[in-house]
Amino acid sequence: SMQVMADGNLLLSFRHLNQVMKIDRQSGEVIWRLGGRRSSFDFVDDPLGGPCAQHTARELANGDIQVFDNGSAPEPAPSAALCPAAGDPEAQVYRPASRVTVYRLDEAAGAAQLVQSREVGAFSQFAGSAQRLGANTLDDHVLVGLNNAQGVPDGGDAPDALELDAEGD
């Protein structure tokens, strides 16, 4: 996904790199990398260590970065584990749950603070998205789109879309 940010630069999501990048729109230079190998940020309080196979990175009204974090298939899976291990982005792990995360970035300190994480109750195998409904703030509801979702706890069919309120319900 791609979004033009408030400062005019580009916010891009690269699923197979497990990374969101901010790119200078004029020069094409990478300003920062969020997640994956060579991340510009440490995930100081995200127990999962950042995004995995993510989609739809978006800048919120206050500058925080929201990511639809797909995760990767449960083990055993026909594909290899896709997610960087927390604390060791060279190691790959399975993470069979999708979530919507919001990070507050401190570029000077190189820290990504997890300010919100909402489990969606299923694993969206690929694609998927999350969009704020309203003023693009944490107080808004979030519309979540799932694709080929699996792993619903009660064994039922996963929804194609769901809406989460500000508390995650």
Side-chain angles (χ1 to χ4, degrees):
S1 69
M2 185 208 57
Q3 177 191 24
V4 177
M5 300 177 75
D7 66 5
N9 291 308
L10 302 177
L11 187 66
L12 301 165
S13 174
F14 295 93
R15 177 179 193 260
H16 289 286
L17 296 177
N18 302 305
Q19 194 167 83
V20 173
M21 292 183 196
K22 180 177 181 178
I23 307 289
D24 184 295
R25 192 172 186 181
Q26 300 304 312
S27 71
E29 297 291 319
V30 175
I31 297 171
W32 50 250
R33 293 173 169 86
L34 177 66
R37 295 180 178 157
R38 298 177 41 216
S39 179
S40 304
F41 302 94
D42 291 323
F43 294 90
V44 293
D45 55 2
D46 183 353
L48 299 180
C52 173
Q54 78 291 329
H55 285 84
T56 58
R58 299 178 189 274
E59 180 183 36
L60 299 184
N62 69 353
D64 289 349
I65 304 299
Q66 175 181 284
V67 177
F68 180 79
D69 184 352
N70 282 70
S72 84
E75 189 175 11
S79 64
L82 297 175
C83 300
D88 183 4
E90 297 295 323
Q92 303 289 293
V93 298
Y94 292 96
R95 191 176 5 147
S98 298
R99 62 186 182 152
V100 179
T101 57
V102 177
Y103 297 99
R104 183 157 299 138
L105 306 182
D106 182 336
E107 293 183 45
Q113 176 191 3
L114 182 68
V115 295
Q116 189 177 79
S117 180
R118 301 286 188 242
E119 300 293 328
V120 299
F123 164 62
S124 185
Q125 192 167 10
F126 51 86
S129 65
Q131 180 177 342
R132 298 278 160 170
L133 303 174
N136 206 22
T137 71
L138 292 178
D139 294 329
D140 295 330
H141 286 208
V142 180
L143 180 63
V144 178
L146 304 174
N147 192 333
N148 197 29
Q150 308 167 0
V152 177
D154 67 5
D157 291 333
D160 294 326
L162 56 104
E163 183 177 340
L164 301 173
D165 66 17
E167 289 75 40
D169 296 326

